[in-house]
Amino acid sequence: MNAVPMSLRAGIRPEVERMPESGIVEVANYGRGRDGLIPLWIGEGHRPTPAFIAEAASRALAAGETFYTWQRGIPELREAIARYTGRLFGRAFDPERFYVTVGGMHALQMAMRIVSGPGDEVIVPTPAWPNFEAAVGVNGARAVALPMIPGPDGWVLDLGRLEAAITPRTRALVINSPSNPTGWTASRDDLVRILHLARRHGLWIVADEIYQRFVWDPGLGAETGRTPSFHDVMEEDERILFLQTFSKNWAMTGWRIGWLEAPPELGPVIENLVQYTTSGVPAFLQRAAVVALEEGEGLVEEHIALARHNRQIVCEGLRATNVVELPSPPGAFYAFFGVDGVSDTRRLALDLIDHANVGLAPGTAFGAGGAAYLRLCFLRDTAVLEEAIGRLAAALPRLASRRAA
Amino acid sequence: MNAVPMSLRAGIRPEVERMPESGIVEVANYGRGRDGLIPLWIGEGHRPTPAFIAEAASRALAAGETFYTWQRGIPELREAIARYTGRLFGRAFDPERFYVTVGGMHALQMAMRIVSGPGDEVIVPTPAWPNFEAAVGVNGARAVALPMIPGPDGWVLDLGRLEAAITPRTRALVINSPSNPTGWTASRDDLVRILHLARRHGLWIVADEIYQRFVWDPGLGAETGRTPSFHDVMEEDERILFLQTFSKNWAMTGWRIGWLEAPPELGPVIENLVQYTTSGVPAFLQRAAVVALEEGEGLVEEHIALARHNRQIVCEGLRATNVVELPSPPGAFYAFFGVDGVSDTRRLALDLIDHANVGLAPGTAFGAGGAAYLRLCFLRDTAVLEEAIGRLAAALPRLASRRAA
């Protein structure tokens, strides 16, 4: 797939050479810079980072906080993360559980390095954020896709099939709830059953709960303001690695800052992994992250309210085209929808750039079971979303019928 | 070595669990926060990043450049790196050769992932920056230490022994010139011979030339202002991966920004690796890096002049203790010296924090052949260095004789 000439290609590690190109990056690169394009392909809001956060970084820069820093993160940020997590779950957390990372991706990279390598398998329910499978594969381990089941009421994770997918080589389960891209959200009962299953088989859980504040289903936490979490059902020092990020809640996608939560006993291992992968996160960025956690609650609530409002507009608008299949997602801020007669959404996503000037992520990017869907991020300005829905409503029926023909 | 309890330890990948703790981080953590301590353990200057660079990041932040960005780096920075490299080597470079990374470490991580994995060997001349060996080991490959030979005129890399260390499993050579910690600097003739050797055996070269502007030996580029480089002797599209960083030249250690230089044909592979390891470098940091390259030449020259001045003071001051063995390093900004009768410099480095309040890096951190040495970074304020040398001169003879006794 990659245009690497033989002489160089022959010298590259096979697990690196066969890494999939991100189907999202491919489409984004295709559309980048087009005049008037509405980009809804990436999980990213439209607002730049607010000044009260950005200025904290600038102040730290001006104060000269430009030296090497703690590999685990500055103590002030680890403490702020512990307090934030404590507020969310109503109990105290040890700051030693939290390790500052270069975004959620770096947290994922380290988690996968801890739990999997050559000869190992990691089960990933799909459709899924493609980086899960890639982060497993680049270590020489095998990601085992477990396709979730689409239904009229949304996606279902069949726990019987999950258990059946476990082999002696299985080392970990990736549980992403709410899910990007499907919006599937685990109930507390799901989490208990998954945890028991993991314990029974001695597996790690890699828990991506980064969308936990974006929940719309009353049965899944819409009133409490957060979804059920493994934090609700786990013991201390359980084999669970949590991925988190500042990207979405605090409009900091481009900052590349997040955290890994792990049992404190893994501290020396994680400190080493940070040292030997990135050597830490700039202290001046961490200062801004502290401010985000301590003063950013209003910002998070604005994002949640915006996403809730937009979810209805997007779902209704897309369904009104009569060529779209889309159960309302219970969590997260994506519409993951099928288009009548279309099975190759990679081509459709490129066509929609040319014909609607709207950028969507092709479901082909999200692994097994995703190829018939498109992902639209609705954490955007409402007026822009309405414009995008209008353009899609004009283009989709044409493209849908053209492909069905 | 790590205090991970059995139940969790049993679940960790062996190549991750056996990662060495950085001997430098251990000592730095031991001494961090001590009143009046002079930290010379890390390869880092004393000056914070100058305002003309830092303010470019703050301006970009204020302008809202806080979104996801190009995985290979913003085009403006890749072009600026190409121009900078062009000025250094007197010819044009294709911006497509350059990939922006989270510091030199991320560049190293990606280089090692490209060239090595389970079953492979990578030859690392030692003493060496410990992260080379760790970055190899964490991928499940084996770093083969090739001890360099200390002599009265400095360290020597025996190319015959280098070739003898090559086995059918060898995939790459790490060539760090000027070397951290020894200061060893390859001549042009050395580079030609190493390159021929690599070609003959089909090996990659991972070239760390980050100290190339810090050269003191007239025979090795002190007049031209840079050391010999593989750029001087290679063909286009050679199997060479260059690591670079903004850390040292531009006083940006804490920014975690650097670059990987590779044949453009590897572009899709490297873009994927960035995506699946860190997902890029903040655009607002990259704006500052552009300014560093375009307006920072005076700053680099100040650093070089300071290091040149300090090198003499440090070498003479340490030799005057009469318990130190230290040939003047031909390149880089480290004094890597032995102390009479001391073989365990890890213990000595901890003792020097307690007894001299000076932080040095123990040679034990730098692999085979390093255990009898201490590393002192002399890219520091001259008066502070003089104070440190005074304290060391008071403490070292005592500690040297105590251990010899």
Side-chain angles (χ1 to χ4, degrees):
Chain A
M1 182 147 65
N2 297 331
V4 179
M6 206 48 212
S7 63
L8 286 168
R9 164 177 264 164
I12 297 175
R13 282 292 303 185
E15 67 275 17
V16 168
E17 207 236 331
R18 66 176 174 243
M19 268 186 307
E21 181 179 16
S22 161
I24 306 175
V25 169
E26 182 200 9
V27 174
N29 282 347
Y30 181 74
R32 202 187 299 254
R34 297 218 184 190
D35 217 37
L37 182 133
I38 301 177
L40 307 174
W41 39 44
I42 307 186
E44 181 171 55
H46 63 289
R47 295 173 61 173
T49 314
F52 77 94
I53 295 173
E55 285 167 4
S58 297
R59 278 195 305 274
L61 263 175
E65 285 203 70
T66 58
F67 297 100
Y68 287 125
T69 188
W70 301 90
Q71 297 296 291
R72 301 183 189 202
I74 62 173
E76 294 85 346
L77 180 52
R78 303 180 74 200
E79 288 157 15
I81 293 170
R83 284 193 298 272
Y84 169 79
T85 311
R87 292 195 296 274
L88 217 50
F89 296 103
R91 60 188 164 89
F93 282 82
D94 180 354
E96 289 296 321
R97 291 186 63 83
F98 302 98
Y99 306 88
V100 180
T101 61
V102 178
M105 185 61 232
H106 184 215
L108 171 59
Q109 181 203 161
M110 292 199 292
M112 287 307 174
R113 280 189 185 264
I114 290 170
V115 304
S116 67
D120 297 334
E121 294 175 356
V122 175
I123 297 176
V124 182
T126 61
W129 186 39
N131 297 28
F132 292 131
E133 292 198 34
V136 173
V138 74
N139 287 342
R142 196 165 83 85
V144 176
L146 181 78
M148 297 177 70
I149 302 157
D153 297 325
W155 294 78
V156 175
L157 176 63
D158 182 326
L159 296 183
R161 290 177 62 189
L162 178 61
E163 182 149 26
I166 296 170
T167 77
R169 294 172 171 270
T170 307
R171 303 280 306 225
L173 313 174
V174 173
I175 303 297
N176 172 212
S177 167
S179 155
N180 164 16
T182 64
W184 170 80
T185 300
S187 67
R188 185 189 164 101
D189 184 57
D190 289 331
L191 296 175
V192 168
R193 292 167 66 198
I194 292 167
L195 182 57
H196 285 169
L197 193 152
R199 284 179 188 159
R200 229 170 21 247
H201 294 272
L203 307 180
W204 288 85
I205 292 171
V206 175
D208 175 347
E209 301 183 348
I210 73 165
Y211 299 99
Q212 65 197 164
R213 312 277 309 262
F214 294 87
V215 52
W216 324 117
D217 191 310
L220 294 169
E223 322 83 345
T224 60
R226 66 162 181 87
T227 60
S229 163
F230 280 110
H231 286 111
D232 298 323
V233 299
M234 69 189 282
E235 302 292 320
E236 288 296 314
D237 281 355
E238 196 96 44
R239 286 189 181 176
I240 304 182
L241 302 172
F242 292 91
L243 318 178
Q244 272 293 355
T245 177
F246 285 88
S247 291
K248 322 289 181 179
N249 288 1
W250 294 278
M252 294 172 74
T253 45
W255 289 61
R256 314 312 309 126
I257 182 162
W259 70 88
L260 177 64
E261 182 188 339
E265 289 81 355
L266 295 191
V269 168
I270 295 170
E271 177 162 354
N272 280 340
L273 269 174
V274 171
Q275 171 70 225
Y276 300 130
T277 52
T278 59
S279 299
V281 173
F284 58 88
L285 299 188
Q286 296 189 57
R287 294 289 172 202
V290 171
V291 171
L293 290 172
E294 301 286 306
E295 303 173 26
E297 195 52 31
L299 175 68
V300 179
E301 284 166 10
E302 283 172 34
H303 286 149
I304 295 167
L306 177 68
R308 180 183 291 116
H309 180 68
N310 289 347
R311 170 174 172 269
Q312 188 162 355
I313 290 169
V314 165
C315 289
E316 289 174 1
L318 286 173
R319 286 188 204 118
T321 63
N322 288 322
V323 296
V324 159
E325 185 187 4
L326 173 60
S328 296
F333 44 70
Y334 303 103
F336 195 63
F337 60 96
V339 178
D340 289 353
V342 175
S343 54
D344 176 7
T345 51
R346 176 183 162 276
R347 185 66 251 164
L348 178 58
L350 297 172
D351 285 348
L352 282 170
I353 290 172
D354 291 330
H355 295 265
N357 216 12
V358 172
L360 302 181
T364 44
F366 300 95
Y373 299 85
L374 288 164
R375 190 191 72 173
L376 177 154
C377 170
F378 56 75
L379 183 66
R380 308 290 299 193
D381 180 75
T382 304
V384 171
L385 270 181
E386 285 171 337
E387 168 67 22
I389 296 296
R391 294 188 199 172
L392 290 171
L396 276 175
R398 209 153 28 93
L399 293 164
S401 59
R402 198 177 75 188
R403 287 180 187 277
Chain B
M1 181 147 65
N2 296 330
V4 178
M6 207 47 213
S7 64
L8 286 169
R9 164 177 263 165
I12 297 175
R13 282 292 302 183
E15 67 275 16
V16 167
E17 206 236 331
R18 69 176 171 243
M19 267 185 309
E21 180 179 15
S22 161
I24 306 175
V25 169
E26 182 200 9
V27 175
N29 282 347
Y30 181 73
R32 202 187 298 253
R34 297 216 185 191
D35 217 35
L37 182 133
I38 302 177
L40 307 174
W41 41 42
I42 306 185
E44 181 171 56
H46 63 287
R47 295 173 62 172
T49 313
F52 76 93
I53 296 172
E55 285 168 3
S58 297
R59 277 195 305 275
L61 264 174
E65 285 203 70
T66 59
F67 297 100
Y68 288 124
T69 187
W70 300 91
Q71 298 295 292
R72 301 184 189 200
I74 62 172
E76 295 85 345
L77 180 53
R78 303 180 74 199
E79 287 157 15
I81 293 169
R83 283 193 298 272
Y84 169 79
T85 311
R87 291 195 296 274
L88 216 50
F89 297 102
R91 60 188 164 88
F93 282 81
D94 180 354
E96 290 296 322
R97 290 186 63 84
F98 302 98
Y99 306 88
V100 180
T101 62
V102 178
M105 186 60 232
H106 184 215
L108 170 59
Q109 181 203 162
M110 291 199 292
M112 287 307 175
R113 280 188 184 267
I114 291 170
V115 304
S116 68
D120 296 335
E121 294 175 357
V122 175
I123 297 176
V124 183
T126 61
W129 185 40
N131 296 29
F132 291 131
E133 292 198 35
V136 173
V138 74
N139 286 343
R142 196 165 83 83
V144 176
L146 180 77
M148 296 176 71
I149 301 158
D153 298 326
W155 294 77
V156 175
L157 176 63
D158 182 326
L159 297 182
R161 290 176 62 187
L162 178 60
E163 181 150 24
I166 296 170
T167 77
R169 293 171 172 272
T170 308
R171 302 281 305 225
L173 312 174
V174 173
I175 303 297
N176 173 212
S177 168
S179 155
N180 164 16
T182 64
W184 170 80
T185 301
S187 67
R188 185 189 164 103
D189 184 56
D190 288 332
L191 296 174
V192 168
R193 292 166 66 198
I194 293 167
L195 183 57
H196 284 168
L197 193 153
R199 284 179 189 157
R200 230 169 24 246
H201 294 270
L203 307 180
W204 288 85
I205 292 171
V206 175
D208 175 347
E209 301 183 348
I210 73 166
Y211 299 100
Q212 66 197 166
R213 311 276 309 262
F214 294 87
V215 52
W216 323 119
D217 191 310
L220 294 169
E223 323 83 344
T224 60
R226 67 160 180 87
T227 60
S229 162
F230 281 110
H231 287 111
D232 299 322
V233 299
M234 69 190 280
E235 303 292 321
E236 289 295 316
D237 281 356
E238 196 97 42
R239 285 189 183 178
I240 303 183
L241 302 172
F242 292 90
L243 317 178
Q244 272 293 355
T245 177
F246 285 86
S247 291
K248 321 289 180 177
N249 288 1
W250 294 279
M252 294 172 74
T253 45
W255 290 60
R256 316 309 311 126
I257 180 162
W259 70 88
L260 177 64
E261 182 188 340
E265 290 81 354
L266 295 190
V269 168
I270 294 171
E271 177 162 352
N272 280 342
L273 269 174
V274 171
Q275 171 70 224
Y276 300 130
T277 53
T278 59
S279 298
V281 173
F284 57 90
L285 299 188
Q286 297 188 56
R287 295 289 173 201
V290 170
V291 171
L293 290 173
E294 302 285 307
E295 303 173 25
E297 195 51 31
L299 176 67
V300 179
E301 284 165 11
E302 283 172 35
H303 286 149
I304 295 167
L306 178 68
R308 181 183 291 114
H309 180 67
N310 290 347
R311 171 173 171 268
Q312 189 162 355
I313 290 168
V314 164
C315 289
E316 289 173 3
L318 286 174
R319 286 189 205 118
T321 63
N322 288 322
V323 295
V324 159
E325 186 188 5
L326 173 60
S328 295
F333 45 69
Y334 302 104
F336 195 63
F337 60 96
V339 178
D340 289 353
V342 175
S343 55
D344 176 6
T345 51
R346 178 185 161 275
R347 186 64 252 165
L348 179 58
L350 298 171
D351 286 347
L352 282 171
I353 290 171
D354 291 329
H355 295 265
N357 217 13
V358 173
L360 301 182
T364 44
F366 300 95
Y373 299 85
L374 288 164
R375 190 191 71 173
L376 177 155
C377 171
F378 57 74
L379 184 65
R380 308 290 298 192
D381 180 74
T382 304
V384 171
L385 269 182
E386 285 170 338
E387 167 68 21
I389 296 296
R391 294 188 198 171
L392 291 172
L396 276 176
R398 207 153 30 91
L399 293 165
S401 58
R402 198 177 76 190
R403 289 184 184 274

